[in-house]
Amino acid sequence: MKKLIVVDGNSIVNRAFYGIMGSRMLQTADGTYTNAVYGFLAILFKELDEINPDYIAVAFDLKAPTARHKMYEGYKATRKGMPDELASQMPILKNVLRAMNITIIEKEGYEADDILGTLSRVGENAGIEVVLLTGDRDSFQLATDKVSIYIPRTKAGKTETDIFDRNKVLEVYGVEPKQMIEVKGLQGDTSDNIPGVPGIGEKTALALIQEYGTIENLYEKIEKGEDNIKGKQREKIVENKDLAMLSKTLGTINLETPIDKTLEDLKVKEWNKEEVLKIFKELRFNRYIERFNLTENTDSPKEEKETNIEFDKTVISQEEFHELEQKIISDKIMYFYFETKENANSIIKQSVKSIAIYIKNENKVYEYKTDNILDFKMLFENNEILKCSYDLKSIYILAREAGISPKNFMFDIRIAGYLLNSTTNLYSISDLMKTYLNKEIDESEESGEQINLFDTQEEKIDEKSFIYAYSIGVLKDILEKELEKNEMLDLFNNIEMPVLEVLADMQFEGMYVDKDDLVSYGEELKIRLEELTKEIYELAGEEFNVNSTKQLGEILFEKLKLPVIKKTKNGYSTDVETLEKLQGEHEIIDKILEYRQLAKLNSTYVEGLIPYINQNTGRIHSYFHQTVTATGRISSTEPNLQNIPTRIELGKKLRKVFKPVSGKVFLDADYSQIELRVLAHVSGDKTMVDNFNHDEDIHAQAASRVFGVPLSEVTKELRSKAKAVNFGIVYGISDFGLAAQIHTSRKQAKEYIEQYLQKYDGIKKFMDNVVEDAKEKGFIETMYKRRRYIPELKSKNYMVRKFGDRVAMNTPIQGTAADIMKIAMINVYRELKEKGYKSKIILQVHDELLIETVISELEEVKNLLVRCMENATKLLVPLKVEVSEGNNWYEAK
């Protein structure tokens, strides 16, 4: 049977931008962003390989209002606009698709969903199997026996696809696909701002439609008194009939969109190879150029490329593995690759499946299949053997879980690749092979921050394991030479690799969470949210949906007559930036801001944290990453413990649920103003250096100089403004940004910055020099030679160039501070270990270290912390550390 694939362009490109490539942005030499295009193509190519369609089309939304917008002013009103970094990639993506001769369909007044719906019926009526590739589950209403919905999702850095046809929708939701429209009518949709019936969630909506079939039948039964619905739920449904019917209409995909294309127009065609090659070269999509042999059969000169990977390979028994151990001991180096499988009981949700080991002097890879990591205990604990692999931190944790004490885990090719270029996320083994070996294996999935360690395609596993082990062995020498050439070998050997062990131990130890306290905290939030809702109603003079942008806008700007800050095409803006500008205009603003903060706290940090509590340990084992930020800062995910809100007291109280176990306390050590101290050092500004060396109040001193008042007359407000300028300078803040932060005019903010740079002329000279230096070299460095490339400085786009300026100014400061913290962590960790202390580092939050400390060791560890952190490096000014203690994280901080 012939097949048609229709791609929801906006949905998939958004998914590629936010979900696949993560926070890091791929760029061309001139600073053009390309991550969304790359990720879109990765998803598309994967599905094309599997589906092999005869017809293809990609549907996009247009900016013009649709019939739904005209019907309901609030439709999609809460959606944020497309970020510039993504918007700039849309025309690039469309150019790629046109060069690939893929039909693009856009229709004013209609959405991409409507195009998908219409084409699905066209295909089905023609007897063709239809695949709709989208990230939007609204399309489930289109599923039939011949129409399938493909929903891509990311798992372990790799895209997998959930497939929904009629039977799958029935199985998962218990209703026919068409009835999903009825469900949406009752439930609504917050992402599209479709109201639905207040108080009716998905579970209730599904149950009602399973019983009554349609919304119309539901209301008919209610009117006749033949329903089984009771109490307030019935009242809400009765009172909101109009909303339910409107929501159903808004949620119904149009199957009769006027499309001026026939199936014949959608036939899969040959690419315009020369044009695709030209675009891919501009975008640096070398992987795709090689994968599709685009240099062949064109007039472009062929690039020389090695494609063969030559080495011997064999699968060995346990007895043969013991013989292999002696070779490794003799070589004093172990190049290996672990194949792992899912294991829900493990801290990192993995366990060993097999190991492939490369012996360089034999040019041979040995694979040993075992699920017992203890088989490697002798090798892992041998300090004379250098361990070289990929993602050593995960392997270290697996070993620790098995009771192994890993030693000399000192060469991770991913970290080496990251140091050599911290502004790309291409650090998978296959990416490093492509970059440094000019070799590539067949790999249809997109690359991610972490390679997929449990590939379910068995036929690929063995071959990849052999190739990866071989590549690790070959890459080690190449990457080491590149690091040396770029003067980063010391950074790699003395900071990045040693801190890997610290992070692995932090992740292994985890933080204990009092689950009962967490649930109670959630209840406290809900009570306060109810109180705030009532207070907001009283201040507004009526009840309304606080979460509705449209209704809130009407209350603030029509009823309460507050000054309109910003309007969108759908009405008044009520985003955080707008509300903060309205503070002081009316008491209701502070209440709404608090309401939003608490609602996010509840969803993200109460309901969000509970699934991460390990059932075996009762602790949260957050993942700490070294290869995510371009500045060298450590980041945290699953969950992000570095981002717990602290701006409001109730947010800070969340830290109370994190506790030390019995017999221990928390010690919190925090660098005082480390980035400003680094700024004083790298700029050599005499005034700031003198201030720090005399232990003066740096913000009060700045206020006195910038605002021209005696130090004794510096008020709390002036000091606060000077503090914003001080830290703003570190981040290359603009006058616009400072004005918004300290609630003043842009002109006044500009004057403050100019006055600051006049008084601190060493900082002004540093900022000018560092930007010029970066423009000349193409990169900037920290004190420890950490390098960050800044292609944005050569961009044709003014805003992109200004971003490059800020990066050049900030990186030497923030990056150096991050390096100093890593040195301090290593020193603290080593001394705790060498002196046999039982106290452990369990968390790092930028400038802060948290130690779970045995009470009997408290004073010694406190002194150790201060000594190791304050002596991590020597600057022109002293490093200062503040230490506090407590019986939970809140008290300690």
Side-chain angles (χ1 to χ4, degrees):
M1 182 182 291
K2 290 188 174 181
K3 297 176 184 178
L4 161 67
I5 180 170
V6 189
V7 183
D8 185 341
N10 287 78
S11 172
I12 298 302
V13 80
N14 267 279
R15 174 174 161 63
F17 182 77
Y18 291 107
I20 292 175
M21 306 312 289
S23 60
R24 305 260 298 291
M25 307 287 286
L26 294 180
Q27 292 174 304
T28 61
D30 66 355
T32 301
Y33 294 112
T34 61
N35 63 318
V37 180
Y38 187 93
F40 179 98
L41 293 176
I43 294 173
L44 179 64
F45 293 151
K46 177 181 182 294
E47 302 304 342
L48 291 179
D49 282 348
E50 294 182 9
I51 297 164
N52 192 24
D54 302 279
Y55 307 92
I56 184 170
V58 179
F60 286 101
D61 295 327
L62 290 174
K63 288 184 179 180
T66 66
R68 295 179 182 88
H69 290 97
K70 294 172 183 176
M71 186 185 307
Y72 176 53
E73 190 179 351
Y75 182 66
K76 292 191 176 181
T78 53
R79 283 199 178 180
K80 291 184 178 179
M82 187 181 289
D84 292 341
E85 295 88 349
L86 174 56
S88 65
Q89 297 183 62
M90 296 300 287
I92 298 172
L93 174 59
K94 291 177 183 180
N95 284 340
V96 172
L97 293 173
R98 291 186 187 101
M100 292 165 63
N101 286 320
I102 293 175
T103 301
I104 294 172
I105 302 179
E106 303 165 309
K107 194 73 180 177
E108 190 165 312
Y110 298 88
E111 296 180 47
D113 279 351
D114 299 322
I115 297 168
L116 264 67
T118 301
L119 288 179
S120 72
R121 292 302 171 259
V122 169
E124 189 172 20
N125 291 338
I128 291 172
E129 185 180 327
V130 181
V131 169
L132 304 179
L133 179 59
T134 178
D136 190 351
R137 293 174 181 263
D138 293 346
S139 57
F140 287 173
Q141 63 185 267
L142 303 172
T144 68
D145 293 331
K146 287 187 177 178
V147 177
S148 300
I149 319 301
Y150 279 45
I151 306 281
R153 61 184 175 86
T154 300
K155 180 178 180 182
K158 179 180 176 182
T159 292
E160 296 183 357
T161 306
D162 293 329
I163 301 174
F164 285 81
D165 58 7
R166 174 181 172 272
N167 290 332
K168 183 68 172 179
V169 173
L170 267 170
E171 176 191 333
V172 173
Y173 297 100
V175 297
E176 289 284 346
K178 286 183 180 178
Q179 291 179 301
M180 295 298 289
I181 303 170
E182 317 289 339
V183 173
K184 190 164 187 175
L186 295 175
Q187 177 190 352
D189 185 341
T190 53
S191 67
D192 288 343
N193 204 35
I194 294 176
V197 175
I200 300 295
E202 182 183 62
K203 188 176 178 181
T204 304
L206 283 168
L208 289 169
I209 298 305
Q210 286 164 5
E211 183 172 354
Y212 298 99
T214 66
I215 290 177
E216 289 81 0
N217 190 49
L218 167 65
Y219 281 104
E220 186 179 327
K221 293 291 185 184
I222 289 174
E223 288 167 10
K224 292 180 179 178
E226 297 175 358
D227 63 294
N228 301 314
I229 311 168
K230 307 293 181 185
K232 288 187 177 180
Q233 188 179 90
R234 192 177 195 276
E235 287 178 25
K236 287 180 180 178
I237 293 172
V238 170
E239 291 171 3
N240 292 282
K241 180 178 179 180
D242 289 345
L243 278 182
M245 300 307 296
L246 170 66
S247 298
K248 176 179 175 177
T249 303
L250 290 172
T252 302
I253 293 175
N254 189 324
L255 304 182
E256 297 180 355
T257 305
I259 297 172
D260 57 355
K261 301 287 182 186
T262 65
L263 273 177
E264 191 66 24
D265 296 322
L266 309 187
K267 270 192 171 180
V268 173
K269 305 173 187 70
E270 285 289 323
W271 294 1
N272 181 340
K273 277 194 169 186
E274 289 189 16
E275 185 61 24
V276 173
L277 175 62
K278 178 185 173 187
I279 296 173
F280 282 0
K281 278 186 172 181
E282 290 172 356
L283 300 179
R284 296 181 173 180
F285 288 176
N286 296 331
R287 170 172 291 188
Y288 295 148
I289 291 172
E290 299 298 341
R291 180 176 169 186
F292 297 107
N293 298 317
L294 294 178
T295 53
E296 294 182 4
N297 303 318
T298 69
D299 295 331
S300 304
K302 294 183 181 180
E303 297 177 10
E304 289 185 15
K305 173 177 175 277
E306 252 188 294
T307 55
N308 295 324
I309 298 174
E310 296 180 358
F311 57 89
D312 294 328
K313 56 187 177 183
T314 186
V315 177
I316 57 175
S317 65
Q318 186 175 37
E319 186 177 327
E320 290 169 318
F321 172 71
H322 290 316
E323 294 174 5
L324 181 63
E325 286 180 315
Q326 298 309 309
K327 294 180 181 179
I328 295 168
I329 292 170
S330 175
D331 289 346
K332 294 189 176 181
I333 190 164
M334 181 179 176
Y335 307 103
F336 68 101
Y337 172 74
F338 261 163
E339 192 67 53
T340 58
K341 58 187 176 183
E342 290 184 84
N343 179 359
N345 295 321
S346 166
I347 289 172
I348 58 171
K349 308 295 188 292
Q350 295 174 18
S351 59
V352 177
K353 187 173 183 179
S354 67
I355 189 171
I357 298 172
Y358 177 60
I359 302 297
K360 186 168 287 188
N361 57 22
E362 297 179 3
N363 195 33
K364 188 171 184 177
V365 177
Y366 296 83
E367 184 179 55
Y368 172 45
K369 295 182 183 295
T370 180
D371 59 3
N372 188 1
I373 195 170
L374 287 171
D375 286 351
F376 315 113
K377 180 178 171 66
M378 186 270 286
L379 292 173
F380 282 178
E381 292 187 344
N382 188 326
N383 199 37
E384 298 298 314
I385 301 171
L386 171 65
K387 316 315 183 292
C388 180
S389 189
Y390 174 90
D391 191 15
L392 278 172
K393 180 166 70 68
S394 294
I395 300 167
Y396 187 101
I397 294 168
L398 284 175
R400 281 291 313 272
E401 283 189 279
I404 298 171
S405 299
K407 293 182 177 62
N408 207 359
F409 274 44
M410 288 296 286
F411 204 104
D412 189 322
I413 64 167
R414 181 169 66 172
I415 293 173
Y418 159 74
L419 281 186
L420 289 167
N421 192 344
S422 64
T423 54
T424 173
N425 72 333
L426 302 178
Y427 313 128
S428 72
I429 298 177
S430 54
D431 287 324
L432 295 173
M433 288 170 63
K434 173 63 185 171
T435 303
Y436 296 100
L437 305 181
N438 202 22
K439 296 178 181 177
E440 188 169 11
I441 61 172
D442 182 21
E443 192 173 36
S444 59
E445 65 274 1
E446 73 285 345
S447 109
E449 169 59 23
Q450 186 165 351
I451 197 166
N452 177 36
L453 294 178
F454 32 92
D455 196 326
T456 56
Q457 299 178 56
E458 294 290 340
E459 68 275 10
K460 286 187 177 182
I461 288 175
D462 289 342
E463 192 62 29
K464 278 190 180 179
S465 294
F466 283 120
I467 294 171
Y468 285 168
Y470 163 81
S471 299
I472 287 166
V474 176
L475 282 165
K476 189 262 182 185
D477 292 341
I478 294 171
L479 294 171
E480 196 167 40
K481 286 175 183 173
E482 287 293 313
L483 288 168
E484 187 172 17
K485 185 171 77 175
N486 291 326
E487 298 181 292
M488 286 193 283
L489 199 54
D490 282 346
L491 172 66
F492 178 78
N493 287 331
N494 299 323
I495 297 180
E496 287 298 333
M497 289 312 304
V499 89
L500 177 145
E501 182 177 335
V502 185
L503 298 178
D505 257 33
M506 283 165 51
Q507 189 169 325
F508 175 76
E509 294 295 336
M511 288 181 75
Y512 175 73
V513 178
D514 190 320
K515 189 174 179 180
D516 292 338
D517 278 6
L518 183 59
V519 172
S520 297
Y521 174 78
E523 293 302 319
E524 185 182 351
L525 286 179
K526 288 174 185 174
I527 291 169
R528 180 57 185 149
L529 281 167
E530 289 174 5
E531 291 172 352
L532 280 169
T533 302
K534 290 176 184 176
E535 291 169 7
I536 289 168
Y537 289 164
E538 288 175 9
L539 291 167
E542 64 178 271
E543 293 189 7
F544 67 101
N545 183 355
V546 182
N547 296 311
S548 166
T549 297
K550 183 175 184 295
Q551 291 181 38
L552 179 60
E554 289 170 354
I555 292 291
L556 297 180
F557 304 112
E558 294 179 9
K559 183 173 183 179
L560 299 180
K561 305 296 183 184
L562 297 184
V564 177
I565 304 295
K566 184 170 64 176
K567 290 193 77 172
T568 69
K569 62 182 180 181
N570 298 314
Y572 304 104
S573 170
T574 60
D575 59 18
V576 172
E577 183 184 351
T578 299
L579 293 177
E580 286 180 344
K581 287 179 181 177
L582 288 169
Q583 281 182 297
E585 296 285 346
H586 196 285
E587 189 181 349
I588 197 172
I589 299 299
D590 287 336
K591 302 291 183 185
I592 293 165
L593 284 169
E594 186 182 353
Y595 177 92
R596 287 188 177 177
Q597 287 175 321
L598 297 190
K600 182 177 180 181
L601 267 174
N602 187 53
S603 62
T604 305
Y605 296 103
V606 178
E607 296 168 3
L609 283 179
I610 289 173
Y612 288 112
I613 299 174
N614 187 287
Q615 297 300 311
N616 297 324
T617 66
R619 300 167 80 93
I620 284 180
H621 301 270
S622 180
Y623 285 65
F624 297 100
H625 304 285
Q626 286 173 263
T627 60
V628 172
T629 69
T631 58
R633 272 190 168 189
I634 292 161
S635 63
S636 161
T637 60
E638 297 185 58
N640 183 357
L641 294 181
Q642 296 180 328
N643 202 33
I644 290 177
T646 56
R647 290 180 66 182
I648 57 174
E649 183 59 26
L650 203 48
K652 290 179 183 177
K653 283 184 178 179
L654 175 59
R655 293 187 171 197
K656 287 186 177 182
V657 307
F658 294 92
K659 301 177 179 181
V661 295
S662 178
K664 297 183 180 181
V665 294
F666 278 161
L667 272 182
D668 187 284
D670 201 347
Y671 273 121
S672 171
Q673 302 169 330
I674 187 171
E675 290 185 351
L676 287 177
R677 292 172 190 269
V678 170
L679 174 61
H681 176 82
V682 297
S683 68
D685 182 85
K686 188 177 184 304
T687 301
M688 186 173 276
V689 169
D690 285 347
N691 290 160
F692 275 124
N693 283 331
H694 290 90
D695 201 21
E696 294 169 339
D697 184 332
I698 198 73
H699 302 311
Q701 289 286 348
S704 175
R705 288 177 171 81
V706 171
F707 305 125
V709 297
L711 193 61
S712 59
E713 295 178 20
V714 171
T715 64
K716 186 177 179 181
E717 182 184 0
L718 285 178
R719 184 184 183 279
S720 179
K721 287 183 177 180
K723 182 177 180 180
V725 178
N726 257 331
F727 285 112
I729 292 295
V730 172
Y731 290 92
I733 200 167
S734 65
D735 50 8
F736 178 82
L738 181 62
Q741 193 171 330
I742 63 176
H743 307 294
T744 190
S745 69
R746 192 168 176 179
K747 181 182 178 182
Q748 184 69 72
K750 186 178 180 181
E751 287 179 13
Y752 289 160
I753 292 173
E754 288 174 350
Q755 288 166 12
Y756 181 96
L757 293 175
Q758 284 175 10
K759 301 297 182 181
Y760 296 92
D761 59 333
I763 294 174
K764 173 70 164 65
K765 190 179 294 183
F766 162 75
M767 291 167 65
D768 291 342
N769 290 344
V770 82
V771 171
E772 287 307 310
D773 191 47
K775 285 177 180 175
E776 184 181 330
K777 293 179 178 176
F779 61 85
I780 197 70
E781 291 179 322
T782 70
M783 268 176 58
Y784 294 91
K785 299 296 183 179
R786 182 183 301 279
R787 182 176 293 191
R788 178 176 181 176
Y789 290 93
I790 314 177
E792 294 91 344
L793 290 170
K794 295 181 180 178
S795 174
K796 296 174 184 176
N797 183 300
Y798 173 78
M799 294 305 292
V800 173
R801 287 199 310 277
K802 295 306 289 181
F803 170 76
D805 288 350
R806 292 195 297 275
V807 166
M809 287 183 270
N810 170 247
T811 297
I813 301 164
Q814 192 179 98
T816 297
D819 290 339
I820 292 170
M821 173 52 89
K822 286 179 178 177
I823 294 168
M825 290 171 70
I826 294 162
N827 292 345
V828 170
Y829 176 80
R830 284 177 174 169
E831 193 161 337
L832 286 173
K833 202 171 181 180
E834 287 166 6
K835 293 189 175 179
Y837 291 121
K838 294 179 181 177
S839 303
K840 303 282 186 181
I841 305 174
I842 57 170
L843 185 66
Q844 186 262 7
V845 183
H846 306 317
D847 306 332
E848 170 191 356
L849 274 185
L850 190 67
I851 315 292
E852 191 168 14
T853 310
V854 177
I855 291 173
S856 61
E857 299 172 354
L858 183 62
E859 290 306 316
E860 294 169 79
V861 172
K862 193 181 292 185
N863 293 332
L864 180 156
L865 268 174
V866 173
R867 184 176 66 256
C868 287
M869 292 178 71
E870 290 189 345
N871 292 298
T873 192
K874 294 294 180 187
L875 302 179
L876 294 174
V877 301
L879 289 173
K880 188 174 180 181
V881 174
E882 297 168 354
V883 181
S884 52
E885 63 186 79
N887 292 312
N888 56 56
W889 191 11
Y890 175 85
E891 289 180 8
K893 183 59 181 171

